[in-house]
Amino acid sequence: MAYFLEYLVPAENDGAEVPVDDAIDGFTVPVGETAERVIHMDALPARSRILAGTLDEARAEAEQLLLHSKADAGELFEDSEDSLEAGAGRRVGSFREGSGWSGD
């Protein structure tokens, strides 16, 4: 079974400026290739695959990933489709630093 952790990584130094291509709504473009508008983000979304055989192993790996990412919370998904799409799969728990895991 494939597990994925979704979390927000806080942007350093007052956030990040991300260019947005208005022609294709929702897509970003390389900074050097456009003078298009940019949006300011205080956190950057991430979805990372967790290599684990069981839910308990996935939770332990997810905690380590969060510890090294500067994020303080995340949601763990079980996804048989092995998709990188946000929200794909079945949510099997959420983690918050200081509170630990809560199940669904």
Side-chain angles (χ1 to χ4, degrees), residues 45-56:
R47 180 171 167 104
S48 298
R49 190 171 202 278
I50 302 291
L51 297 175
T54 67
L55 179 57
D56 287 338

Side-chain angles (χ1 to χ4, degrees), residues 5-104:
L5 181 67
E6 291 186 7
Y7 53 104
L8 293 174
V9 179
E12 295 182 356
N13 302 323
D14 299 324
E17 299 292 327
V18 180
V20 177
D21 184 350
D22 287 329
I24 306 172
D25 190 33
F27 287 86
T28 60
V29 293
V31 177
E33 293 183 16
T34 184
E36 297 295 325
R37 69 182 175 88
V38 296
I39 57 172
H40 181 83
M41 299 178 76
D42 292 323
L44 305 171
R47 180 171 167 104
S48 298
R49 190 171 202 278
I50 302 291
L51 297 175
T54 67
L55 179 57
D56 287 338
E57 291 172 353
R59 286 181 171 181
E61 289 297 321
E63 287 180 45
Q64 288 300 309
L65 193 151
L66 289 171
L67 176 68
H68 296 290
S69 72
K70 299 182 183 177
D72 61 359
E75 294 182 324
L76 189 62
F77 290 84
E78 182 180 74
D79 184 4
S80 60
E81 300 295 318
D82 207 13
S83 172
L84 287 177
E85 176 127 3
R90 180 176 65 92
R91 192 174 111 160
V92 294
S94 58
F95 180 85
R96 178 161 299 284
E97 190 175 312
S99 300
W101 286 98
S102 62
D104 287 351

